[in-house]
Amino acid sequence: MSENSPLKSNNSDQHISTDENAKNQDKQDYKLSDGQLKEMETGPEGISDGQAKERFNRDGPNEINEKKKNSIIKFLSHFWGPIPIVLWVAIALEISRLSYLDFVILMILQIFNGIVVWYEERSAGNAIEALKKGLASKAKVKRDNKWATVEARELVIGDRVNIKLGDVIPADCRLGPGSLEIDQSALTGESLAVTKSQNDIVYQSSICKRGDIEAIVANTGPRTYYGKISALVGGVESKGNIDKIILKFTLILVILGFIITAVIFIVVMAKGGDVLESLSLCLVILISVIPIAAQVVSTVVLTIGAHELIKHKAIARKLSAIEEMAGIQILLSDKTGTLTKNKLKANPPFLLANFTENDIFLYAALASKRQGQDQDAIDKCIIESAKENYDINLDKYKETNFVPFDPENKRTESSIKDKETGEKFKCTKGAPQVIIELSQKDKIKDEITSQVDEMAARGFRTIGVALAKENDDNWKIVGLIPLYDPPREDTKETIKKALEMNLKVKMITGDSIAIAKEVARELDLGDNIYKINVFKEAWESGDKEKAYNLVENADGFAEVFPEHKYQICEVFQNKGYTVAMTGDGVNDAPALKKANVGVAVEGSTDAARASASIVLTKPGLSVIIRAIYTARMIFQRMNNYFMYRISLSIQLLGFFFITIIIINPRNYFTCYSNGKSCSELPVSFVLTMIAVVVITILNDFTMATVGYDWVRVSKKPEHFNLKVMFIIASVLAIAPLSGWIALLVLCLAHMDSRSPNSFFQGFNIATFSYEEILTVIFLSIAISNFGTLLSARTSHWFWSRHLGWPLGLSMICGSIIAIFFAAYWPFNFANKSSEISKDMAAISWKKTWFVVGFCIVFFVLQDVSKVLAIKIIEKVYQKKGKISGISGEKLNADFLKFSTGGKEDKDEIDQAKEEKEEREEDKNKDKEKEDYHKDTNREQDWLMGKDENHKSIDKDEEI
């Protein structure tokens, strides 16, 4: 969860010692202009309606500004871009040629592609809208000496407002006489309410937990602290990395495709082709080359990955974040609730005289509010510790009077009566400096002050406990109880696993430097923990290099402002790192949106969840590690798809270029069958539009199941290397491309029954018609594409990693469909007068199985060439001292098994079972220890002066 902001109250939190340097930070950091200060000189009657109207017209409404895009225009924008434009041109040409089947097929592709992409973006939430939900809708304001309830949006600077228990603060306000307890956790991340008194600033959207006070509005709308946070959120515009990668390789293929098709168009026209038909041919080639369904397939694969993340209690709000999470190098983690439990724990206490741990927790618990909504975190911690760790039975004691915590006194006090003995006494707990003053012994004061300082240096917050007889102010100090937020059981091991994944975890906390260092020490996180002002000085002085070096070498920062989370994230991104940021409050929203991957942890505010790309529904850092592990699996699958799709485009582009430019069936081959010449051959060899579309659909829908493929997770962060990707894809293309060309030439040479080709004669295969050759090439391309996919999915031999069953099944089904299409070709809609396009014809089963066998031979050659190419690339990169990203060490299958951790690391069934067993064990303990409290009378004996074992605390030698 988010940490304490430096925007702290100038009063101590309940019972807790605070850093004196933080007490007046509100006044130091919240600066008001002279004009604002003058307008805030509002009398008891409030400002006039005229003044309010004038200031409203000048400053605008007290609300967050938001830029909204027209939903219709946003939807239509998904049908515009490099790929959609090519499709629109192709659609227009097919209409002009009256080729309605091709028109329908292309329209279906266009509409389907656009809708899927639109739906993905539509699922993303609106961070600004979520921020608005936290604002007050009404406010009680005094104008012209009359109180009235108005819309909060109508407030202006200088308005006198009333704030009471339960109110959401409607604007940034400066308090009048008195004090309030304010819950500003959504803004600052502080888990405890803070005390605000006269002249302190309270922030818009924080909540009043105690008190009733008048205040003057200091800032409204976008000028408030809340508004500035929303401005940062709204100012961050990011495009998913996966979209950038798709755009890059698509543009490369489109440019390459346009160059090749331009040459093809010139050649076909020189051969006497029709203009419209030649343009249609070129568009068919472009459609087969460019990855039309890349966005659709990637969306499907990422969606499958999103469902896997849900199993690990992580929800992907942006699908592109899954790929980016795989490349995370820096994890900026807040402390409270993520590294720690966000639950106060009492450490072994410091005791005076012969008081025991049971004594101090008994008296501290009796001085606490035992139940109810007003019970704060400290009272809850003390009472739970007393009951669970010391088996103290509070039911034996009757509370005759309870004085709750007061911002002035800074302590609680209870008057107690023992139900069994009737003895009466009183006990108190509170801020150490206050409890110290209750003692009349200077030596005790010095001793306790020294202990408070020592505990503060270790990051502990302390409360003092004292005891007195009824109607006696001679307080006896029992001791000190140090409180802290302990690390989660699994955090230390999780950080170790993060290091195994080559992640750098850096703690970002609003807590004091002492607390941050203590937590870092316990977790072996590192010793380089700095106050944020060290970074702030370097950043604001313009020494960017110093700021860069500082954040790279630091293990964490303490006393962090919300805006500095944003800046630290920006620094890492400027250095080329992929950054993940965790957070839970409104104050974290800008940084969460700025980060490559914003992670809203369990229990986050609406604003944090809306700004984040990953939302966790389970506490702890281990959830993030599991999510990164899963994301790297998804990355491998996406990388396999891109490798395959690029290779396929290169194969088809090379095939069409060679067959159209070099091979002219009419000039170099003859067709003679059944005693007569065949119909006139075309000037160029071209597959029909329907054949190309069928191949594309078969392969893209098969590729959608790559999301279920079995992969091994890399130890290093994953990043797309387009250069290496294109090299390997080109190598993968050589063997099948060579096989298609060879098969085409052999088939064309086997059309004439008067002089059949000797190669096919050896297999006793009858001659081909031209229409059959079209089907043969269709089948060879379809089958070879599945082979390319099988080879592209591994960096070693294709059998080195078994197939995920959905992918294997889809490849088998796709191959069967292609084979049946070849044996029973159903689509014949070609223009009979065309010089280029011809109908296809079914081929015999013998010819069909021959083509399948032919493709298998070239698939083996393809896989051999891939393995050799990868070995060469790896050696080249090793010599340069770089990482190719192709292969490398992998995490073992047991990586996600944690040897430490609490119930949160068990599944729900085991957790329920364990809780039941614990309840039974607690019942047994109660029965076995019924006589434990028989010794508690010694406290009352001491109060009455009867117990010789309790020596006087007044004796200096015992202190």
Side-chain angles (χ1 to χ4, degrees), residues 56 60-64 132 134-141 143 148-157 159 161 168-173 204-205 217 219-221 224:
F56 184 89
N62 177 37
E63 61 186 10
I64 297 173
K132 281 186 172 182
L135 300 181
S137 58
K138 301 283 185 180
K140 190 174 181 181
V141 62
R143 292 176 182 169
T149 301
V150 301
E151 295 289 335
R153 70 185 302 275
E154 297 176 11
L155 291 180
V156 297
I157 295 174
D159 261 328
V161 295
V168 176
I169 309 300
D172 286 0
C173 301
Q204 185 181 42
S205 86
V217 174
N219 261 323
T220 61
T224 63

Side-chain angles (χ1 to χ4, degrees), residues 740-811:
W740 300 344
I741 297 297
L743 184 61
L744 174 61
V745 172
L746 289 171
C747 286
L748 288 172
H750 196 54
M751 286 191 296
D752 197 332
S753 59
R754 296 168 299 185
S755 56
N757 183 272
S758 58
F759 175 77
F760 284 108
Q761 279 187 307
F763 291 94
N764 196 26
I765 292 176
T767 56
F768 296 95
S769 66
Y770 184 79
E771 290 78 6
E772 286 181 320
I773 294 176
L774 289 170
T775 307
V776 165
I777 298 303
F778 156 78
L779 180 60
S780 65
I781 292 175
I783 298 298
S784 294
N785 287 347
F786 294 126
T788 299
L789 172 55
L790 193 59
S791 184
R793 60 180 291 278
T794 68
S795 57
H796 301 286
W797 302 108
F798 74 90
W799 66 78
S800 62
R801 193 173 70 235
H802 65 78
L803 275 168
W805 72 263
L807 178 59
L809 182 62
S810 65
M811 290 176 65

Side-chain angles (χ1 to χ4, degrees), residues 561-578:
F561 285 61
E563 58 266 31
H564 292 132
K565 294 183 180 182
Y566 184 98
Q567 291 169 352
I568 290 171
C569 179
E570 186 177 30
V571 168
F572 277 117
Q573 288 176 326
N574 290 342
K575 290 291 286 183
Y577 289 103
T578 303

Side-chain angles (χ1 to χ4, degrees), residues 134 304 323 361 372 425 488 501 587 631 642 666 684 797 897:
I304 293 169
E323 179 272 326
F361 277 99
F425 59 96
R488 302 180 64 82
M501 299 179 84
N587 61 319
F642 289 141
R666 183 178 295 181
S684 297
W797 302 108
K897 291 183 180 179

